[in-house]
Amino acid sequence: MGSKATVMQVINAIGWAHYQLRGGWKNILATTVGYAVLIGLLIFGSVYLDPSSAPSIYAGWTMALLALQVGALVLYGCWSVSSAVKKDISTKMIESHRLMPVSGTDAIAGYLFGPTSQVLTIALANFLIGCATLQGATPLGSGLVNWFKVNAILGIFAVSAWTVMVFLPLVFPMATSLLAGAVFILIMGYQMVPALLPGASLLVGPALQESIFGMLALGRPISPELMVSIVAQLVVAALCYIGAQRKYRRDDVPAWGPLLGLAVVGTYVLISMRGLSTWEVFRPRGWWWETPPFAVQLTLAAMGGLIVAIIPVSVAARQEVTWRRRRALHDPAPNPRPLPGMLIVALAAAIAASLLPLAVGERWSLRTWHPQVFASLRRDQLPSIAAPPFPPGLVARTFLVYFAFLTVMSFFLRLLFARGIRSRWLPVMFVALLGLAPLLVDVTVNGAMKRFETDDVFSAISGASPIVALVYLWSPVKGADGALISTMPGIAAQLVLGAVLGLIYYASLRRGAGTGMAAGGRTMEAQRNRDGE
């Protein structure tokens, strides 16, 4: 026993430490046995009071055990993982962990299964008790198979959720507040959020129309939609695992490099495309809130694509500035030259821009592969533009909107990084300004000219906002003259802004910003040394 414990401590010290913080095997065993005895006594008492209804009582308890399994694995498990990571960060214990000879892969695995050791034993107790109740509720065959199946689906979802809960505190210091806000929004708007963000609902596999409760009660097989959801969960979990292990080893590096950032954008596009095109198939069970117009769902997904595409662009900008700073400091061993920033901008724009034609094309394809769903859709639940093939100009202008926005963000972030500005709110405020300022200017100017006597207060000026430009392109909007509002002036304005920021950035380098960059590099290096001491 001692040798096994020593091996565990060496291989995964993080998991061992959090396992001990949970009280070790004595506390975990006592808690689990007490829980199992309590549930067993309640089940025995229920059957003893009404023996004639034993099969239905056993069936009801099986469903109750599945609900307890959800609470243990998802709610209690996510809380355990998140609280363990946040405690290590707040107490600076994670700095001590980083000095140990433990790889990032092993450390993140330790955070996943060390704090959840008690959760796993309770889940095992629920599983075994459920196997027993199923024998009293149904014949041993199909009922037990379904019990294995729904627990496997729930287990995959739970481990994926745990991985996200490890990733968030390591990457976002304000993750606790954001998660609390997200939970509040989900509770207060549980009927609205999945409908407005269909891509997110695709990830909630156990709650889809064929929920795990329905699968257990009716014995239905795993649907293709659920298989898609499971694959999406695993992909998201893998990306978060990679990002978490990078942040664990070094806090001063991004969670994802430019190429992994592009993979994140591609994952967002595929999940959002599938959720947008088949929301009626994926919608969670019990959600009766009326589906919003498809144009609203598409616009929100396109906005999300703009934000997610900033990830690889930001990393590429940071790597370029770091590389230039090392050259300015005459570092004898500078990092390899990073990928060109504009190449990452172009690739991110191409991937993110593909969401709209893919989602609209898949939505129209419902009439061939799912005619029953297509026939039930209202007119506003269908795309407002024609079915594919799309005009090349439409696809090209969509790419230009994303390309112009990401170009602006790339040079803006390079200017911030070059001057050592580490504010998290400046980029947020800048994105809000890019999205809202043209719209507000158009409403003010155009509305004042028309004395606000008409609702038609939008013109090509609003197209300088990337969000509005995408709306103009994929939900064709007509002006006062009845003609479609042109998007080219707005796209041109975005490209000009990107070019201006680019000229400012490169001009600052030629004026000797390298000296200032070197000074900024020395200041940041000194700050890191002080933090290390």
Side-chain angles (χ1 to χ4, degrees):
M1 180 68 181
S3 62
K4 291 182 179 179
T6 303
V7 171
M8 179 63 181
Q9 292 178 49
V10 172
I11 293 177
N12 204 321
I14 308 297
W16 179 261
H18 284 286
Y19 165 75
Q20 291 297 327
L21 288 174
R22 292 296 182 274
W25 69 268
K26 292 182 179 179
N27 179 66
I28 293 175
L29 182 61
T31 303
T32 305
V33 170
Y35 170 82
V37 170
L38 176 62
I39 297 297
L41 289 175
L42 290 174
I43 295 174
F44 176 79
S46 302
V47 176
Y48 181 79
L49 291 175
D50 189 6
S52 61
S53 303
S56 60
I57 293 175
Y58 281 128
W61 269 108
T62 303
M63 288 296 180
L65 286 168
L66 184 56
L68 290 172
Q69 198 78 305
V70 173
L73 288 174
V74 179
L75 300 180
Y76 186 28
C78 287
W79 176 84
S80 299
V81 170
S82 178
S83 62
V85 178
K86 288 183 294 186
K87 183 177 181 180
D88 281 356
I89 293 175
S90 63
T91 60
K92 304 294 183 181
M93 183 61 69
I94 195 169
E95 301 297 336
S96 176
H97 293 338
R98 287 178 175 136
L99 298 176
M100 296 189 301
V102 178
S103 68
T105 302
D106 290 338
I108 301 306
Y111 278 121
L112 287 176
F113 300 107
T116 58
S117 53
Q118 190 173 62
V119 175
L120 292 172
T121 56
I122 292 176
L124 178 60
N126 282 329
F127 176 78
L128 295 177
I129 297 172
C131 291
T133 57
L134 276 170
Q135 296 187 52
T138 60
L140 184 60
S142 61
L144 194 58
V145 171
N146 290 332
W147 183 243
F148 274 90
K149 184 168 56 179
V150 297
N151 276 274
I153 294 169
L154 183 59
I156 293 172
F157 175 77
V159 175
S160 301
W162 297 352
T163 308
V164 175
M165 298 305 293
V166 174
F167 172 80
L168 287 178
L170 289 171
V171 178
F172 302 109
M174 298 179 62
T176 304
S177 301
L178 293 175
L179 286 174
V183 171
F184 176 79
I185 292 173
L186 287 173
I187 292 175
M188 299 304 295
Y190 69 98
Q191 299 169 354
M192 182 190 308
V193 174
L196 294 177
L197 303 173
S201 65
L202 184 148
L203 295 172
V204 192
L208 296 181
Q209 283 199 10
E210 294 295 337
S211 70
I212 54 176
F213 292 93
M215 293 174 62
L216 180 61
L218 303 176
R220 291 176 178 172
I222 298 178
S223 62
E225 294 81 11
L226 183 55
M227 290 301 299
V228 172
S229 176
I230 292 174
V231 172
Q233 294 167 37
L234 293 176
V235 172
V236 171
L239 290 172
C240 289
Y241 196 99
I242 295 171
Q245 69 177 6
R246 284 168 57 92
K247 293 296 290 185
Y248 170 80
R249 292 310 308 163
R250 289 189 59 183
D251 187 52
D252 60 336
V253 300
W256 296 303
L259 297 182
L260 275 175
L262 292 174
V264 172
V265 179
T267 301
Y268 173 83
V269 167
L270 292 176
I271 292 176
S272 298
M273 178 271 292
R274 190 67 174 176
L276 281 167
S277 60
T278 55
W279 155 249
E280 286 73 20
V281 180
F282 280 108
R283 64 189 306 166
R285 186 176 180 84
W287 258 252
W288 55 266
W289 196 70
E290 188 175 5
T291 301
F294 179 77
V296 175
Q297 294 178 314
L298 187 67
T299 300
L300 291 175
M303 290 171 57
L306 288 169
I307 303 303
V308 174
I310 296 176
I311 294 174
V313 172
S314 174
V315 176
R318 180 174 178 175
Q319 287 185 348
E320 178 183 330
V321 171
T322 302
W323 178 74
R324 290 183 181 277
R325 179 175 292 134
R326 288 183 177 272
R327 289 188 63 195
L329 290 168
H330 304 290
D331 193 328
N335 292 334
R337 183 163 190 163
L339 294 171
M342 293 310 297
L343 173 63
I344 301 300
V345 166
L347 292 175
I351 296 172
S354 66
L355 170 61
L356 290 100
L358 286 175
V360 172
E362 282 294 305
R363 189 68 171 176
W364 280 114
S365 70
L366 275 176
R367 59 185 167 190
T368 58
W369 71 271
H370 216 314
Q372 297 88 354
V373 171
F374 187 86
S376 65
L377 298 178
R378 302 190 312 269
R379 185 175 183 83
D380 63 352
Q381 293 174 333
L382 294 171
S384 56
I385 63 174
F390 304 113
L394 175 62
V395 178
R397 287 194 296 273
T398 303
F399 167 78
L400 286 177
V401 171
Y402 281 89
F403 179 80
F405 171 76
L406 295 178
T407 299
V408 171
M409 290 304 304
S410 176
F411 286 116
F412 176 76
L413 291 171
R414 288 188 225 185
L415 289 169
L416 291 184
F417 294 147
R419 285 155 180 77
I421 301 175
R422 306 173 71 177
S423 171
R424 297 178 180 272
W425 293 107
L426 278 178
V428 174
M429 294 172 62
F430 188 70
V431 170
L433 183 66
L434 291 176
L436 297 178
L439 187 63
L440 294 176
V441 170
D442 197 10
V443 170
T444 303
V445 174
N446 199 18
M449 292 176 58
K450 298 178 179 179
R451 299 182 180 180
F452 297 98
E453 295 178 355
T454 175
D455 294 333
D456 184 19
V457 292
F458 299 105
S459 66
I461 298 176
S462 296
S465 165
I467 300 171
V468 178
L470 293 174
V471 173
Y472 284 176
L473 287 171
W474 292 90
S475 299
V477 180
K478 296 182 179 181
D481 56 357
L484 294 177
I485 298 177
S486 175
T487 56
M488 287 311 299
I491 295 174
Q494 296 177 59
L495 290 172
V496 169
L497 178 58
V500 169
L501 290 177
L503 289 175
I504 294 174
Y505 173 70
Y506 288 113
S508 65
L509 295 179
R510 287 196 297 270
R511 285 199 309 266
T515 304
M517 187 178 294
R522 296 190 186 99
T523 302
M524 294 176 67
E525 185 68 25
Q527 181 64 40
R528 283 197 295 269
N529 291 336
R530 287 194 296 271
D531 293 341
E533 294 173 358

